[in-house]
Amino acid sequence: MAQNRRKFLTQVGLIGGAVMSGGLNTNIFAKKINITKKNSTMKFSFKPYTLELKHVFTLATSSRTTTPVMLTKIEYEGVTGYGEASMPPYLGESHETAAKFLSKVDLAQFKDPFDMETILEYVDEIDTFNPAAKASVDIALHDLVGKLIGQPWYKMWGFNKDKTPYTSFTIGIDTKDVIIQKTKEAAEYKILKVKLGRDTDKMLIETIRSITDKPITVDVNQGWKDKFFALDMINWLKDKNVLYVEQPMPKEMVDDMAWLTEKSPLPTMGDESVQRLPDVIKAHGVYSGINIKLMKSTGLREAFKMLNLAKALNMKIMLGCMTETSCAISAASQLAPEVHYADLDGALLIKNDVFEGTRIIDGKVTLTDKPGIGLTKVLPY
Ligand code: MG
């Protein structure tokens, strides 16, 4: 009996260990740890950079032609991991706030880069908020650890890179003629994304439908304030080959949103409502699914946990981005094989990408086989 109990506990322990390591191949892990030198330290650095956008980016509240980002690095034993914080102004972070946060990050105190949970918990506790700045450390650490192991993260997580979805490609709010032109230019992409929430909503959809019948996704960015109006709009959209409706109502209107999701013939996706891991539970029963973005989640480690929690709750999962370089896009796309929808067009919208990595080929999110997050640096910075 005691022997059986011991055997049982050993099995439980083994299962626990596998979960804690995120399903990694621990043999590879152990081999690499052995070859790291005892006295090596991680050197963390960061640099502000400004992305130049190919087109003016228009949201319901603002327009802009640049996005501030912070490019980060962790150097360890001659290996460099790269990271990035993308900080569109309306989200509350900037070069200044990120520099202030990142100057407090002291990774030299940690001897082992593989101790990711401890390191990233420390980073999270330096200050509240600052999700993009935190993500820039998380991404660099993932890139470094993947390179030390010699494998890309999608592989270590056991994902199949052939299963990545097509990405949606955003057609911005504009005049009818420009929308027609942009829709024609987007021929390569299999799914179009439209920002709704203005009085031009039906015109936008009908204009695109006059050119193509390919699937459309819509993002209302909290723009519909009345649940009956929202339901009427979704019923209208359902016959227009629309895949899902992102953040139809203000995030505070939780009860109305739950009502809408229950009645909606299309999946509803929470974006502004869902930042980090605890928000996934709050979104359950309110939305059909969630939009995971590294710049909200504080990086890959928490995004991976959000993905698994959403799966366990049988929710739809979409993977989104900001305008960002191929660094953050390549990091996010390591999760892409396991999501229902991808909205990873961020690096396609900029003129001065610093990296090559995950690419969009014939509309599909296409991962590289390179270790870490799969990057090659193409511009010095
Ligand atoms: Mg959105």
Side-chain angles (χ1 to χ4, degrees), residues 154-273:
Y154 77 82
K155 229 177 224 188
M156 293 193 281
W157 283 325
F159 297 167
N160 180 342
K161 75 171 185 169
D162 297 336
K163 288 189 184 168
T164 54
Y166 291 110
T167 183
S168 50
F169 181 82
T170 300
I171 305 288
I173 297 167
D174 224 310
T175 61
K176 200 170 174 173
D177 288 345
V178 177
I179 291 164
I180 289 173
Q181 186 201 333
K182 282 184 176 171
T183 304
K184 286 179 177 165
E185 284 169 9
E188 178 191 345
Y189 305 103
K190 310 290 188 222
I191 304 169
L192 300 177
K193 174 170 176 171
V194 188
K195 297 275 191 181
L196 298 186
R198 295 181 168 193
D199 50 12
T200 50
D201 287 0
K202 288 189 177 176
M203 179 280 283
L204 270 166
I205 300 287
E206 278 166 346
T207 303
I208 293 172
R209 278 287 164 264
S210 70
I211 311 282
T212 172
D213 58 3
K214 67 175 71 164
I216 296 176
T217 70
V218 309
D219 188 353
V220 189
N221 290 115
Q222 316 184 73
W224 296 334
K225 317 289 183 197
D226 177 88
K227 65 181 179 182
F228 299 105
F229 175 79
L231 185 59
D232 283 348
M233 280 302 295
I234 296 175
N235 277 323
W236 183 82
L237 289 167
K238 83 169 193 301
D239 300 322
K240 305 284 186 292
N241 195 16
V242 169
L243 298 179
Y244 59 79
V245 181
E246 196 180 328
Q247 198 67 50
M249 300 184 69
K251 60 182 176 182
E252 300 79 19
M253 298 178 73
V254 175
D255 292 341
D256 287 353
M257 192 55 236
W259 177 92
L260 182 63
T261 295
E262 199 190 329
K263 304 259 184 308
S264 173
L266 295 175
T268 61
M269 308 295 286
D271 181 9
E272 286 86 340
S273 297

Side-chain angles (χ1 to χ4, degrees), residues 44 72 74 81-85 101-102 105 107 113 116-117 119-121 123-124 131-146 153 157 276 294-295 297-305 327 331-332 335 373:
F44 176 69
T72 62
I74 304 175
Y82 295 102
E84 175 180 13
F101 181 88
L102 295 174
V105 174
L107 297 188
M116 301 177 80
E117 194 76 24
I119 296 168
L120 295 173
E121 269 176 24
V123 171
D124 196 20
K134 289 172 182 175
S136 75
V137 184
D138 167 287
I139 294 169
L141 186 62
H142 276 81
D143 195 33
L144 173 70
V145 166
W153 276 92
W157 283 325
R276 299 191 57 176
L294 300 190
M295 297 304 145
S297 73
T298 70
L300 273 175
R301 192 149 188 92
E302 192 150 324
F304 179 74
K305 294 174 186 178
C327 177
L335 296 165
I373 58 171

